[in-house]
């Protein structure tokens, strides 16, 4: 018998019992699968709740969505959009719903899975999808979803049938037959003579940690000496609280401890409570997870959902079968505001589905200063159990998106404020800089933190010299990246020689600069980095994956075939035919050559020799490669333009979700993404202009303050021709140094 999570016995004890279809499918799987299979029922995957997920180590994963629908009540339009006939309302396609679960496994949830897919497209086959229609026969399903779309003269129908072949299985009540289902598993390689070379033990372990995280034992925690004020917040039975804290006051540490206490109290009314921890910054998921891991209590990690607001709403709407639709022709710059109005901030939408929403036994929100008031109301009124905690944490001085304030604090739906004033982060110069920044730049906007709880700095009547250093430089040099590298590399090798690269972070606010600097640093220093921004190599590989073996209409096919054939003669001289693994290897080489070529165009004196070296490594002469670039100059320029102008949000979000401080390498991040984290040594880059890619108006004073306060000890501010902030920040730093 298969191993079930939770066990069949525990499922029978759930307050909300499985539907008839879910129960039937679970019983069927229990009878026919052996113990090499693991079956997960309604796993909480950071907001996603697929009905059933089957996993077999060494072979693969299958997600099954269960619908107890009478298909006679539904119809599809010519675009395969689903409608509920009785009221002609749009419902989310169950095909799209289960595919969303699959794409989120790659894009969000499972560590390394997205990058494995980008490097080798065959990894996309690891996860397959199916929909089980409990009230329909196999014939009913085929008549509705398959047979009407088999016109071989229609390109759209051919694509749809190909899509089904590679991605989707449909099951009816008469499909729950051992022979039939076993054949489906064979087709999806969950049953095979040999294990999969793609579903490695490492990926299986990553899936397992997500699906069934280990129980956190009390012995794994770290006994903290909480202050009286921190204890007051952690152990308080007051359900609704707003906690405001100065930078470095331990807000996230307190949040984690309070979440565990909320879980313990929820156990008194629910044997399987779910605690929701919301952030705005995606990267804080792992930071909060680390703080939870240090709490000196026993609890199951799987009962804590840590996610940012937008991903949470996306997941919940998918769980509710609500389709997120963007009107055709809507301008890109208007999409965010449209989504905010119609989905993320639409209270009426959630009121409409309130009876179907799964409530959480406690909700804790970090970075509340970044939240719209409507978001708070949606979370509090529709996703939180009225008997559960609702606790908000934040620092108004990090209000980088300009949310409304009242009485010098952000406007929330909780009365009163509990304050954490003690700064644990630093008895260092950076703390004095933060206070001076507040006093001189924030002015009357916010209350200035006095840090009086920290006490004095006198030792036997002598004022102690504060630790750490702050350095500031103003540069008008246009060669920003190369100059930046020389400064940072010099500081790392000299001033920071005794500091591990793991404790060094480079912060800026334009992704274009940080992405180019990341590539420059890696190839110039021959060292790895940990960046929250997509690499140039990843950008190229994403687009190369669209160039298929038989794709004759792709304008990139001629140059791709040319360089592939040239490289293949050197790398695979004895092969008459290239297989998928060979083509993938060639793509990886092309990506590396193209990236170094781009660096050489901008920094010839630094990278020209490196390009020659790489060409030799791959059996192509430097001159031949340049000739290739010149011959296909127009085509390659168009390709490069596509690569550099595309939206890589899914890749960037994935990097943020799987970001950890202990990577052993220097960190490169935007200030926004690093908000909430801290680093021993910070290089802060200022430029005259900054990107504004959200619907929020970025408040630059708050953004800069947030960047400064990410530093624990040593801070170097590098200003490239931002005259306005040179006048503001230079006097402050000069007074501290």
């Amino acid at each position: 018998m298969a191993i079930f999570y939770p066990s069949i016995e525990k499922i029978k004890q759930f307050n909300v019992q499985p539907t008839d279809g879910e129960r039937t499918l679970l019983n069927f799987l229990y009878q026919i699968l052996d113990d090499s299979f693991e079956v997960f029922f309604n796993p909480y995957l950071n907001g996603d709740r697929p009905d059933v997920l089957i996993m077999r180590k060494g072979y693969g994963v299958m997600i099954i969505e269960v619908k107890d629908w009478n298909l006679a009540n539904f119809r599809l339009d010519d675009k395969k959009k689903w409608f509920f006939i009785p009221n002609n309302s749009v419902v989310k396609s169950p095909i799209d719903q289960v595919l969303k679960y699959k794409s989120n496994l790659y894009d969000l949830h499972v560590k390394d899975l997205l990058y494995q897919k980008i490097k080798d497209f065959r990894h996309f086959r690891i996860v397959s999808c199916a929909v089980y229609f409990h009230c329909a026969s196999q014939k009913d399903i085929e008549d509705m979803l398959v047979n009407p779309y088999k016109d071989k003269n229609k390109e759209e129908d051919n694509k749809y049938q190909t899509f089904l072949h590679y991605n989707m299985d449909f099951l009816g009540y008469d499909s729950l037959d051992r022979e039939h289902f076993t054949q489906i598993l064979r087709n999806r390689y969950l049953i095979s003579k040999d294990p999969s070379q793609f579903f490695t033990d490492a990926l299986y372990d990553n899936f397992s940690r997500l699906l069934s995280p280990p129980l956190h034992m009390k012995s794994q925690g770290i006994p903290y000496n909480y202050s009286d004020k921190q204890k007051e917040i952690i152990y308080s039975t007051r359900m609704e609280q707003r906690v405001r804290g100065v930078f470095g006051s331990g807000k996230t540490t307190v949040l984690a401890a309070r979440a565990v206490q909320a879980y313990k109290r929820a156990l008194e009314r629910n044997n399987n409570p779910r605690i929701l921890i919301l952030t705005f910054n995606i990267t804080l998921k792992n930071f909060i997870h680390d703080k939870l891991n240090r709490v000196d209590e026993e609890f199951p990690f799987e009962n804590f959902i840590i996610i940012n607001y937008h991903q949470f709403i996306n997941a919940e709407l998918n769980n509710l079968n609500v389709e997120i639709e963007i009107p055709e022709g809507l301008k890109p710059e208007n999409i965010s505001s449209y989504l905010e109005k119609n989905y993320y901030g639409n209270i009426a939408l959630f009121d409409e589905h309130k009876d179907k929403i799964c409530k959480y036994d406690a909700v804790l929100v970090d970075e509340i200063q970044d939240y719209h008031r409507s978001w708070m109301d949606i979370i509090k009124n529709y996703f939180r159990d009225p008997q559960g905690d609702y606790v908000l944490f934040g620092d108004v001085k990090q209000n980088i998106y300009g949310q409304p304030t009242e009485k010098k604090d952000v406007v929330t739906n909780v009365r009163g404020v509990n304050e954490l004033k003690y700064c644990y982060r630093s008895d260092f110069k950076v703390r004095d800089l933060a206070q001076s920044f507040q006093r001189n730049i924030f002015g009357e906007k916010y209350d200035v933190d006095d840090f009086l709880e920290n006490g004095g700095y006198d030792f036997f009547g002598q004022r102690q010299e504060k630790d750490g250093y702050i350095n500031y430089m103003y540069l008008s040099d246009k060669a920003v990246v190369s100059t930046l590298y020389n400064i940072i590399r010099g500081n790392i090798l000299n001033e920071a020689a005794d500091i591990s690269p793991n404790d060094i972070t480079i912060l800026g606010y334009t992704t274009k600069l940080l992405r180019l600097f990341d590539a420059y640093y890696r190839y110039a220093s021959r060292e790895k980095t940990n960046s929250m921004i997509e690499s140039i190599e990843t950008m190229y590989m994403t687009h190369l994956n669209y160039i298929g073996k038989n794709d004759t209409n792709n304008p990139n096919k001629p140059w791709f075939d040319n360089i592939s054939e040239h490289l293949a003669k050197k790398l695979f001289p004895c092969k008459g035919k290239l297989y998928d693994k060979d083509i993938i290897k060639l793509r990886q080489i092309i990506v590396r050559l193209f990236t170094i070529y781009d660096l050489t165009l901008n920094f010839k004196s630094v990278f020209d020799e490196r390009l020659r070296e790489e060409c030799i490594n791959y059996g192509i002469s430097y001159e031949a490669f340049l000739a290739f670039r010149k011959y296909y100059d127009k085509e390659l320029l168009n390709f490069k333009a596509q690569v550099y102008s595309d939206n890589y949000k899914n890749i960037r979000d994935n990097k943020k979700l799987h970001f950890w401080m202990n990577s052993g390498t220097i960190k490169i991040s935007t200030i926004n993404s690093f908000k909430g984290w801290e680093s021993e040594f910070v290089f802060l880059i200022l430029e005259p202009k900054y990107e504004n890619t959200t619907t929020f108006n970025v408040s630059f004073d708050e953004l800069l303050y947030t960047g400064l306060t990410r530093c624990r000890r040593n801070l170097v501010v590098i200003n490239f021709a931002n005259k306005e902030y040179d006048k503001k920040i230079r006097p402050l730093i000069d007074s501290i140094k």
Side-chain angles (χ1 to χ4, degrees):
M1 294 178 290
I3 303 169
F4 276 70
Y5 301 95
S7 67
I8 294 292
E9 291 72 23
K10 191 168 183 179
I11 292 173
K12 291 177 180 178
Q13 299 172 9
F14 281 1
N15 293 334
V16 180
Q17 284 292 295
T19 66
D20 288 342
E22 291 169 340
R23 188 181 300 107
T24 301
L25 179 63
L26 290 173
N27 288 334
F28 172 73
L29 297 175
Y30 185 76
Q31 294 170 15
I32 71 156
L33 297 180
D34 62 35
D35 61 5
S36 66
F37 289 88
E38 297 168 83
V39 178
F40 300 84
F41 175 61
N42 275 163
Y44 276 66
L45 307 179
N46 290 324
D48 284 332
R49 295 195 301 276
D51 292 328
V52 175
L53 186 146
I54 303 170
M55 181 165 68
R56 191 183 184 200
K57 185 176 182 179
Y59 293 86
V61 173
M62 175 178 282
I63 307 170
I64 305 178
E65 181 65 21
V66 181
K67 296 299 182 189
D68 291 37
W69 291 358
N70 181 350
L71 290 184
N73 290 328
F74 296 87
R75 66 176 180 86
L76 274 65
D77 68 4
D78 55 354
K79 295 183 179 180
K80 301 183 184 65
K81 184 182 293 184
W82 284 62
F83 288 83
F84 185 57
I85 294 174
N87 60 10
N88 203 36
S89 61
V90 177
V91 296
K92 190 177 184 74
S93 161
I95 300 171
D96 292 342
Q97 188 178 11
V98 71
L99 284 173
K100 185 66 175 177
Y101 292 136
K102 173 177 177 175
S103 66
N104 283 350
L105 285 175
Y106 283 85
D107 292 349
L108 303 174
H109 303 321
V110 182
K111 183 183 177 184
D112 296 333
L113 193 57
L114 176 63
Y115 280 86
Q116 291 295 337
K117 185 192 79 170
I118 291 172
K119 288 193 293 184
D120 187 338
F121 56 81
R122 293 174 295 177
H123 282 83
F124 199 61
R125 302 170 190 169
I126 289 173
V127 182
S128 58
C129 297
V131 182
Y132 169 53
F133 294 97
H134 180 59
C135 301
S137 68
Q138 194 68 37
K139 184 178 182 304
D140 294 335
I141 298 167
E142 290 179 359
D143 286 346
M144 181 177 180
L145 299 176
V146 182
N147 295 332
Y149 310 102
K150 283 188 173 180
D151 190 340
K152 294 183 178 180
N153 295 318
K154 291 184 178 179
E155 184 180 356
E156 188 177 339
D157 282 8
N158 290 329
K159 287 182 178 179
Y160 178 66
Q161 294 297 331
T162 302
F163 158 78
L164 292 179
H165 176 75
Y166 285 107
N167 293 280
M168 189 66 56
D169 289 292
F170 297 126
L171 304 170
Y173 58 75
D174 53 349
S175 305
L176 300 189
D177 169 83
R178 182 184 292 272
E179 184 179 348
H180 181 82
F181 192 74
T182 300
Q183 187 57 52
I184 288 175
L185 295 179
R186 285 197 184 98
N187 293 341
R188 300 304 175 191
Y189 303 103
L190 270 81
I191 295 178
S192 178
K193 180 181 178 182
D194 300 307
S196 168
Q197 61 177 300
F198 308 111
F199 196 33
T200 61
D201 287 352
L203 281 178
Y204 169 79
D205 290 342
N206 290 343
F207 269 91
S208 294
R209 278 191 288 271
L210 173 71
L211 290 162
S212 186
L215 179 71
H216 174 77
M217 306 301 292
K218 186 177 177 69
S219 59
Q220 296 171 297
I222 300 173
Y224 274 110
N225 291 317
Y226 298 113
S227 71
D228 290 342
K229 176 58 73 173
Q230 290 176 328
K231 289 178 183 177
E232 177 189 324
I233 296 168
I234 293 169
Y235 298 105
S236 171
T237 57
R238 180 182 166 193
M239 288 192 303
E240 297 186 13
Q241 289 196 57
R242 156 79 170 109
V243 180
R244 182 170 64 200
V246 303
F247 87 96
S249 61
K251 292 187 294 296
T252 309
T253 299
V254 173
L255 181 152
R258 175 67 190 244
V260 174
Q261 294 303 315
Y263 168 80
K264 291 171 67 176
R265 288 195 297 274
L267 278 173
E268 298 173 4
R269 58 181 190 275
N270 183 355
N271 64 2
N272 190 39
R274 299 286 178 179
I275 309 302
L276 176 63
I277 301 175
L278 287 170
T279 74
F280 181 82
N281 187 354
I282 297 174
T283 60
L284 282 182
K285 171 182 174 291
N286 290 334
F287 187 64
I288 294 171
H289 186 280
D290 186 58
K291 294 294 185 182
L292 272 174
N293 200 39
R294 299 184 183 194
V295 176
D296 191 29
E297 298 275 5
E298 185 173 310
F299 56 88
F301 265 120
E302 63 188 17
N303 289 64
F304 293 79
I305 314 305
I306 312 170
I307 191 172
N308 89 313
Y309 180 80
H310 290 90
Q311 288 178 354
F312 173 74
I313 294 298
N314 288 340
E316 289 295 337
L317 291 177
N318 190 51
N319 296 330
L320 292 167
N321 278 319
V322 175
E323 184 75 60
I324 295 180
E325 296 184 287
I326 299 174
E328 292 184 13
L330 187 67
K331 295 180 179 179
E333 61 268 24
N334 296 330
I335 291 177
S336 293
S337 58
Y338 174 85
L339 292 173
E340 172 63 26
K341 179 182 177 182
N342 291 278
Y343 298 100
Y344 301 125
N346 187 357
I347 294 174
L349 173 65
F350 296 94
D351 194 66
E352 182 184 340
H353 294 85
K354 61 184 177 183
D355 296 334
K356 301 176 185 176
I357 291 175
C358 176
K359 294 189 182 291
Y360 292 82
D361 297 275
V363 177
L364 298 95
V365 183
D366 202 7
E367 305 180 290
I368 195 63
Q369 73 277 354
D370 296 334
Y371 274 57
H372 292 311
R373 175 58 189 273
S374 59
W375 301 357
M376 302 177 205
D377 290 339
I378 288 169
I379 294 299
K380 180 180 179 181
N381 298 334
Y382 299 104
F383 289 97
R384 166 239 189 181
D385 187 306
Q387 299 181 67
D389 289 12
Y390 178 68
V391 189
L392 314 178
F393 294 79
D395 178 4
V396 67
K397 297 177 184 65
Q398 297 183 48
N399 182 20
I400 65 175
Y401 300 114
Q403 297 296 354
T405 59
E406 185 178 277
K407 297 180 180 179
K408 299 184 179 181
D409 196 9
V410 291
V411 181
T412 73
N413 52 3
V414 172
R415 290 186 178 181
V417 177
N418 217 336
E419 293 194 78
L420 293 169
K421 295 182 179 180
Y422 193 104
C423 177
Y424 294 90
R425 182 172 300 169
S426 52
D427 283 345
F428 307 131
K429 293 178 180 179
V430 67
R431 201 204 69 175
D432 290 346
L433 176 61
Q435 191 172 42
S436 181
F437 190 103
Q438 293 178 25
R439 188 179 296 113
N440 290 278
I441 294 180
F442 285 151
E444 299 297 318
K445 194 173 185 180
Y446 308 117
D447 291 328
V448 176
D449 297 327
D450 55 25
F451 300 108
L452 288 178
E453 294 185 21
N454 287 61
Y457 301 96
D458 289 344
F459 183 72
F460 291 116
Q462 300 294 318
R463 190 169 182 82
Q464 290 181 304
E465 181 66 27
K466 294 181 184 178
D467 202 353
Y469 74 84
I470 299 175
N471 194 9
Y472 175 80
M473 53 190 75
Y474 179 86
L475 301 167
S476 57
D477 195 335
K478 294 182 180 179
V480 176
V481 173
S482 56
T483 303
L484 193 59
Y485 175 81
N486 292 333
I487 293 170
I488 292 176
R489 192 66 179 164
N491 270 272
I492 291 174
L493 296 177
N494 297 300
E495 299 287 348
D498 60 338
I499 298 178
S500 167
N502 194 58
D503 297 322
I504 297 171
T505 303
I506 299 156
L507 299 178
Y509 42 85
T510 61
T511 55
K512 183 179 179 181
L513 169 65
L514 293 172
R515 185 171 56 212
L516 182 57
F517 175 78
D518 172 56
Y520 189 108
Y521 188 94
R522 286 186 287 109
Y523 285 102
S525 68
R526 299 180 187 262
E527 294 179 1
K528 293 182 179 180
T529 64
N530 184 9
S531 172
M532 293 197 205
I533 301 164
E534 65 283 355
S535 69
I536 296 174
E537 295 94 327
T538 300
M539 293 160 55
Y540 271 120
M541 181 60 82
T542 301
H543 280 260
L544 282 180
N545 285 336
Y546 292 118
I547 306 175
K549 290 183 289 185
N550 302 312
D551 189 0
T552 56
N553 296 322
N554 193 316
N556 298 307
K557 192 78 164 55
W559 65 256
F560 176 78
D561 286 346
N562 181 287
I563 191 170
S564 296
E565 289 170 8
H566 192 98
L567 290 168
K569 289 177 183 178
K570 302 290 183 180
L571 298 173
F572 313 112
C574 299
K575 286 190 176 182
K577 179 183 177 182
L578 296 183
Y579 296 95
D580 284 344
K581 64 178 182 179
D582 304 321
I583 295 172
I584 290 164
K585 184 175 180 179
L586 292 176
R587 289 178 180 178
Q588 292 170 349
I589 293 170
I590 293 169
V591 161
R592 191 171 176 89
L593 289 172
F594 279 22
T595 301
I596 300 174
Y597 179 80
D598 289 351
L599 289 170
T600 305
L601 287 178
N602 293 303
F603 315 101
K604 185 175 176 64
S605 62
V606 180
F607 294 105
D608 189 63
E609 194 59 38
R610 182 65 186 276
L611 181 59
R612 292 176 183 271
E613 176 190 326
E614 295 291 337
C615 286
I616 293 171
N617 289 340
Y618 302 123
I620 183 172
S621 74
Y622 173 78
E623 291 74 20
F625 180 71
L626 293 185
F628 157 78
R629 294 288 315 201
K630 184 176 180 180
Y631 184 83
Y632 291 103
D633 181 62
K634 183 179 178 181
E635 293 87 347
L636 289 170
L637 281 175
N638 288 334
F639 178 68
K640 181 180 177 179
Q642 293 169 10
V643 168
Y644 278 82
S645 64
D646 205 351
N647 186 341
Y648 300 95
K649 185 179 184 304
N650 67 317
I651 297 173
R652 196 174 300 170
D653 287 351
N654 184 278
K655 296 201 72 168
K656 293 175 182 178
L657 279 168
H658 299 289
F659 172 86
W660 294 91
M661 283 296 292
N662 59 345
S663 62
T665 60
I666 68 167
K667 317 299 184 298
I668 300 173
S669 172
T670 62
I671 298 170
N672 307 56
S673 296
F674 204 70
K675 190 152 64 76
W677 293 84
E678 57 185 40
S679 182
E680 193 79 1
F681 197 128
V682 170
F683 294 92
L684 180 61
I685 307 164
L686 302 186
E687 298 176 77
K689 296 181 180 180
Y690 58 96
E691 294 176 342
N692 183 12
T693 57
T694 72
T695 56
F696 301 92
N697 295 315
V698 176
S699 301
F700 196 78
D701 286 345
E702 285 82 352
L703 184 73
L704 181 55
Y705 176 80
T706 301
L708 295 171
T709 55
R710 298 313 89 204
C711 174
R712 292 174 59 187
R713 186 183 299 265
N714 298 328
L715 173 68
V716 177
V717 181
I718 309 169
N719 186 338
F720 285 97
N722 190 327
K723 295 179 180 179
E724 178 187 355
Y725 275 84
D726 179 58
K727 295 177 182 178
K728 288 187 177 184
I729 198 72
R730 184 193 294 272
L732 304 183
I733 293 177
D734 286 345
S735 67
I736 302 298
K737 289 170 68 175

